[in-house]
Amino acid sequence: MSVPHRNAASLVSIPSRFSPRALPRLALGLLLAVSATHAFAGEPRSAWYVQGGVAEDAQSLTVGMSRDWRWEKQYRYGHISGQWQGEVARWHSDSQNSTQLGVTPAVRWRPIGWDDGWFVEGGIGLNVIFPKYDTRKKAFSTTFNFGDHIAIGKRFGADQQHEWSLRFQHFSNARIKKPNPGENFLQFRYTQRF
C-alpha cells in the first residue's frame, strides 16, 4: 500500500474566511517550505539586544534575544541569511502602558559591493500586546498583532560581535478585527553577539 507524499505546502490550507486559529498551521508550513530550500551553514550564533523607539502616540523600550538560522545562501547580488528574534517591550503612551511580546523570523541581505558589515533586514512576526493598545488617538481591537519591519544596520568589532541598526516597524492585526489603526515605530537597536 502506498502512502501519498505530502509536501510543506499541503500542510497549509487557507480558509475562505481567515481565522486566527489557522495561524499556527500557516506558520509551520511557511517555515518548512523556507527551510527546505536553503543550504545549511556553520554553527549559529546568539545575541542579545536593546532598542528604543518612538511612534506618533508612544515610546518603546525593548530587550530581546536572537539566534542565527543554520542556513545561508550566496547569490550573485549578495549574501542572504536569517535569524529568529524574540523580544519583550514596554510601550508608554499618553494614556496607558502596554507590554509587547514578540517572535519574528528575519531575513538579512548583505549586498555585494557594500563595505564589510552592512546589511538590510526584513521580517514579519507574531506579537501579543496587553492590555490592548489604546491612546487618545488610536485603539487596537485585538491583543494579537503582526509586527513587520525593515532595517539597515552594520556589524563591527574584531569578531563582528557588535551591531547597530535603524529600523522601521509597523504593528497591526492585518484586518482580523476592526478598528485596525496600526502603529509605526522608528527604532534604534544595539546588538551584541556571543
Side-chain angles (χ1 to χ4, degrees), residues 73-90:
K73 188 78 172 172
Q74 183 68 41
Y75 290 101
R76 181 177 175 185
Y77 298 105
H79 180 267
I80 295 186
S81 61
Q83 60 181 221
W84 287 103
Q85 300 175 359
E87 62 190 32
V88 59
R90 193 72 173 156

Side-chain angles (χ1 to χ4, degrees), residues 84 103-107 122-127 146-150 169-170:
W84 287 103
V103 176
T104 303
V107 176
I124 300 174
L126 307 176
N127 294 270
F146 294 95
D148 52 274
H149 75 271
I150 56 172
Q169 188 162 20
H170 171 77

Side-chain angles (χ1 to χ4, degrees), residues 31 34 41-45 67-72 81-85 104-107:
L31 180 61
V34 167
E43 189 62 33
R45 291 179 68 180
R67 179 79 172 162
D68 293 342
W69 294 344
R70 292 191 64 88
W71 60 260
E72 58 187 7
S81 61
Q83 60 181 221
W84 287 103
Q85 300 175 359
T104 303
V107 176

Side-chain angles (χ1 to χ4, degrees), residues 29 55 62 81 83 85 105 107 118-119 149 155-156 188 190 193:
T62 306
S81 61
Q83 60 181 221
Q85 300 175 359
V107 176
W118 285 96
F119 64 86
H149 75 271
R155 283 187 177 169
F156 59 97
F188 183 81
Y190 167 76
R193 295 161 59 84

Side-chain angles (χ1 to χ4, degrees), residues 15-165:
S16 58
R17 182 175 168 98
F18 181 78
S19 166
R21 290 184 295 243
L23 285 174
R25 285 186 4 193
L26 179 62
L28 175 62
L30 290 173
L31 180 61
L32 289 173
V34 167
S35 64
T37 61
H38 290 83
F40 286 92
E43 189 62 33
R45 291 179 68 180
S46 298
W48 65 269
Y49 59 86
V50 60
Q51 78 185 18
V54 293
E56 179 183 1
D57 294 329
Q59 300 86 41
S60 68
L61 181 60
T62 306
V63 294
M65 299 281 295
S66 67
R67 179 79 172 162
D68 293 342
W69 294 344
R70 292 191 64 88
W71 60 260
E72 58 187 7
K73 188 78 172 172
Q74 183 68 41
Y75 290 101
R76 181 177 175 185
Y77 298 105
H79 180 267
I80 295 186
S81 61
Q83 60 181 221
W84 287 103
Q85 300 175 359
E87 62 190 32
V88 59
R90 193 72 173 156
W91 295 10
H92 174 72
S93 69
D94 54 8
S95 57
Q96 75 175 37
N97 291 326
S98 296
T99 300
Q100 173 240 327
L101 301 173
V103 176
T104 303
V107 176
R108 287 196 169 183
W109 173 44
R110 287 182 291 150
I112 296 289
W114 284 25
D115 288 339
D116 262 355
W118 285 96
F119 64 86
V120 176
E121 178 184 288
I124 300 174
L126 307 176
N127 294 270
V128 177
I129 302 166
F130 57 93
K132 288 180 196 170
Y133 184 63
D134 189 2
T135 69
R136 293 186 186 131
K137 296 180 184 177
K138 297 181 179 181
F140 282 20
S141 58
T142 59
T143 56
F144 171 81
N145 288 275
F146 294 95
D148 52 274
H149 75 271
I150 56 172
I152 186 168
K154 182 170 175 54
R155 283 187 177 169
F156 59 97
D159 191 27
Q160 300 283 297
Q161 73 272 29
H162 301 287
E163 177 180 301
W164 65 260
S165 60

